[in-house]
Amino acid sequence: DRYHHFLALLSVLARSLLTPAAMEPGMETLCARTWADFVQADGRIANDYQLKKVIFLKGITPDMRPEVWKFLLQVYPYGSTTDERTAIDQQNREKYLDIKRRWVSALRASDSTLLQHLKMIEKDVARTDRDTEYYRGEHNPHVLALRDVLMSHALHDPELGYIQGMNDMLAPLLMVMDDEVDAFWC
């Protein structure tokens, strides 16, 4: 759902922003300094339309992606305060850890559906971006986190489960977020 929402958002932005009038001179890539211009004292985003416009036209510096992507991928509402986002993070962490405990327990009980997902996930994860420093090497903890997020998704959304290629969609998210909980909710 979030992925489709993000694609729809890009489509709307493309139609409405890629006009000569939309190309504002002096517009900068979203960095810590320009991000601060959008964040009110209580942490709410002041003008999400303008923020999306800057992101679409100019991009986001790598250091800002973990924070900004949580808004773009609907982990955080634009109107949320800093305190509300802290609560969201805590709730999401607890929910994710519960989901993870449940699939680990289900595997111990030999749940056939999850065992099938695990077999496919381990096969795909072993080939995921192994040339990238983040995923390179034997017994890489990031590869294990990639597997765990995919298994958690398979349990969390049993109707969809795991589909080949999800690993390729998740790999850059996990690399940028550098946290399996944040990557799962994004």
Side-chain angles (χ1 to χ4, degrees):
D1 262 351
R2 290 186 179 144
Y3 177 73
H4 290 103
H5 174 77
F6 186 66
L7 290 178
L9 171 68
L10 286 178
S11 175
V12 168
L13 286 172
R15 286 192 307 273
S16 64
L17 298 178
L18 293 180
T19 64
M23 302 294 189
E24 297 179 18
M27 186 183 284
E28 298 179 44
T29 301
L30 189 71
C31 63
R33 184 180 50 72
T34 54
W35 171 250
D37 294 339
F38 288 101
V39 181
Q40 298 174 346
D42 65 355
R44 295 178 201 274
I45 303 302
N47 184 342
D48 63 305
Y49 178 81
Q50 184 65 25
L51 173 65
K52 292 171 195 170
K53 184 175 175 180
V54 168
I55 292 167
F56 186 78
L57 294 174
K58 295 297 184 174
I60 309 168
T61 59
D63 62 309
M64 293 304 302
R65 289 177 186 155
E67 184 173 0
V68 176
W69 282 11
K70 287 183 180 182
F71 288 94
L72 293 175
L73 297 171
Q74 298 182 342
V75 175
Y76 297 150
Y78 289 97
S80 62
T81 65
T82 302
D83 291 342
E84 290 168 339
R85 291 193 297 276
T86 299
I88 289 168
D89 285 340
Q90 181 61 34
Q91 290 169 356
N92 284 348
R93 186 159 300 281
E94 290 169 9
K95 286 180 198 173
Y96 176 79
L97 293 175
D98 180 59
I99 293 166
K100 189 172 176 178
R101 279 190 291 273
R102 288 190 333 215
W103 70 255
V104 168
S105 177
L107 283 179
R108 287 189 183 129
S110 299
D111 179 292
S112 61
T113 301
L114 281 178
L115 285 169
Q116 287 175 336
H117 287 309
L118 179 62
K119 184 177 177 181
M120 289 188 332
I121 288 169
E122 286 186 335
K123 187 176 180 179
D124 288 346
V125 163
R127 301 182 295 225
T128 304
D129 290 348
R130 300 303 279 200
D131 293 333
T132 305
E133 181 64 32
Y134 192 81
Y135 294 109
R136 190 176 298 145
E138 288 293 313
H139 309 293
N140 184 317
H142 301 122
V143 173
L144 295 175
L146 188 67
R147 180 207 63 192
D148 289 356
V149 172
L150 292 168
M151 283 298 296
S152 296
H153 179 271
L155 180 77
H156 181 67
D157 187 350
E159 187 176 322
L160 183 59
Y162 175 75
I163 299 170
Q164 187 174 18
M166 285 181 168
N167 57 310
D168 293 321
M169 291 176 61
L170 175 61
L173 278 172
L174 182 60
M175 190 166 45
V176 166
M177 303 312 279
D178 199 30
D179 179 90
E180 71 181 82
V181 174
D182 288 338
F184 176 82
W185 292 108
C186 283

